[in-house]
Amino acid sequence: QALRSADPERRQLAALDLGRDWTITSPEALAALLGALRDPVPAVRGAALDSLGAVIAALLREGTHAEQVPRATRAVLAMLDDRDPAVR
């Protein structure tokens, strides 16, 4: 829900929270972070990118939802072309 907030700072914090909570490795959390990579605010995209790294690591460690890892990894790599250098 917070990732859909009108407040960019709230979206940024929500994205960071998903990465800090190592227990959240659900497909829904992953989908929310992937969606946040398209946010118009660079700080939100950067936070989502950081959190995706943590979620990918947790997925690999736990072996749950491993089928999601390739899609998430492709999304992370695509961010190398982000228009904002701070996100890249």
Side-chain angles (χ1 to χ4, degrees):
Q1 289 285 359
L3 280 172
R4 295 185 194 136
S5 171
D7 179 4
E9 188 173 331
R10 186 165 182 209
R11 293 194 310 271
Q12 179 185 11
L13 292 174
L16 289 172
D17 284 346
L18 283 174
R20 288 185 190 125
D21 189 347
W22 295 93
T23 64
I24 298 177
T25 56
S26 70
E28 294 81 13
L30 188 60
L33 288 171
L34 291 172
L37 293 178
R38 295 186 302 273
D39 196 280
V41 177
V44 177
R45 293 194 308 274
L49 188 58
D50 287 344
S51 291
L52 271 171
V55 170
I56 290 169
L59 289 170
L60 290 171
R61 191 175 43 257
E62 294 175 9
T64 58
H65 307 292
E67 72 280 358
Q68 301 293 327
V69 172
R71 181 177 80 148
T73 303
R74 284 191 301 274
V76 168
L77 291 174
M79 295 307 289
L80 291 171
D81 295 327
D82 192 87
R83 63 188 172 272
D84 191 288
V87 176
R88 291 189 295 248

